[in-house]
Amino acid sequence: MTTLRQAQEPRVVVTGASSGIGEATARLFAQHGWEVVGVARRADRLAALADGTGIRTIVADLTDEAEVARVRDELAAFGPVHALVNNAGGAFGMASVEHGDPADWRAMFEINVIAVKNLISALLPALRDGARDAGHADILTVTSIAAHLAYEGGAGYNAAKAGAHMLMAVLRLELAGEPIRVIEVAPGMVKTDEFSLVRFGGDQAKAAAVYDNVEAPLLAADIAEAIVHAIELPGHINLDLVTIKPVAQAAPHKVIRGPLTPE
């Protein structure tokens, strides 16, 4: 049986779409026939994303409430929103609790928690329109295994991503009874151009060392596949929490370096 979602072009909003997981996700949705709206801060990267893909773009800093309101207003001109992928986020620093910079912690809470909350609040009316249009709608947030497993040097990021995890858990309860799925995707080690580089303040050597001699770390495309799959499942199926790690990573603090071999 053909569903409404199969019969017409659905619309998805992907944040953090200028690079990494967000960019890969936006491109994959477009390949699957979705109308994609990519949101990020960097106009030049968004222009490159839009080139030849048909992806619409909105330049915005989602830590600014006025910018979130503008995103909401721009999206209103496009029509219903069928899915929201909250991917924008980041980690800043690896300091201990004792020596961590409060500015880094504030920045992590702003982008990983408060911006996610504000965008969900702003777009819920459009998502409800999407649910009426297609039978259901989706809110998916990319967190991290750091939301579920502590590791030394990760306290600020652990706390921020745990906050995002609980935000999604509470939202799922609050939206119960509505045909809106609430999904969390929690990746482990994903090798992208920017995540570790940003975390280590642009120190290329430290960033590269994270993935040194790790057999087949995950790539952005791997997470994009999981995101698109979760949202394209039939509307009565909800993947509450999807945890994804490379085989070489048993936990945040336990990564096997070197070849994986049977005993």
Side-chain angles (χ1 to χ4, degrees):
M1 182 176 70
T2 301
T3 65
L4 283 172
R5 178 157 287 186
Q6 291 169 323
Q8 61 191 35
E9 186 178 67
R11 181 174 297 108
V12 60
V13 177
V14 180
T15 71
S18 61
S19 65
I21 293 170
E23 179 183 357
T25 300
R27 290 184 182 276
L28 188 58
F29 270 120
Q31 291 167 17
H32 282 221
W34 288 66
E35 180 182 322
V36 181
V37 182
V39 182
R41 292 177 294 107
R42 293 177 290 183
D44 58 334
R45 297 294 297 264
L46 286 180
L49 175 66
D51 186 26
T53 65
I55 294 173
R56 299 174 184 261
T57 62
I58 299 176
V59 178
D61 178 352
L62 296 177
T63 64
D64 183 327
E65 291 185 35
E67 296 271 284
V68 171
R70 179 173 59 79
V71 170
R72 176 201 62 206
D73 294 344
E74 289 194 32
L75 286 168
F78 301 156
V81 173
H82 301 94
L84 167 62
V85 177
N86 293 302
N87 167 73
F92 309 109
M94 281 284 289
S96 66
V97 173
E98 180 180 7
H99 298 295
D101 185 342
D104 286 342
W105 284 54
R106 289 189 189 96
M108 285 188 277
F109 272 82
E110 285 285 349
I111 189 58
N112 292 295
V113 182
I114 298 172
V116 171
K117 176 265 183 261
N118 285 341
L119 193 61
I120 290 171
S121 296
L123 296 191
L124 261 172
L127 286 157
R128 289 185 170 114
D129 287 343
R132 282 186 282 268
D133 176 54
H136 72 278
D138 295 284
I139 300 171
L140 185 152
T141 296
V142 178
T143 61
S144 168
I145 61 171
H148 307 275
L149 296 165
Y151 58 94
E152 290 173 285
Y157 190 58
N158 286 142
K161 285 302 190 183
H165 163 67
M166 292 308 300
L167 185 160
M168 297 300 283
V170 173
L171 182 67
R172 192 175 296 113
L173 296 172
E174 292 176 347
L175 294 182
E178 297 189 50
I180 300 177
R181 300 184 296 190
V182 177
I183 303 165
E184 176 185 351
V185 173
M189 176 179 282
V190 183
K191 186 177 182 179
T192 65
D193 291 337
E194 296 187 335
F195 178 84
S196 290
L197 193 63
V198 170
R199 182 168 213 171
F200 291 111
D203 188 322
Q204 186 66 60
K206 283 187 178 180
V210 172
Y211 313 102
D212 185 44
N213 205 27
V214 175
E215 184 174 314
L218 297 176
L219 302 177
D222 298 320
I223 309 305
E225 288 279 359
I227 290 169
V228 174
H229 171 72
I231 289 177
E232 289 189 338
L233 284 171
H236 68 287
I237 301 171
N238 194 93
L239 300 185
D240 285 16
L241 171 62
V242 181
T243 303
I244 313 171
K245 301 192 300 291
V247 175
Q249 182 181 40
H253 61 279
K254 188 174 180 65
V255 177
I256 303 304
R257 300 185 186 274
L260 302 177
T261 59
E263 287 291 336

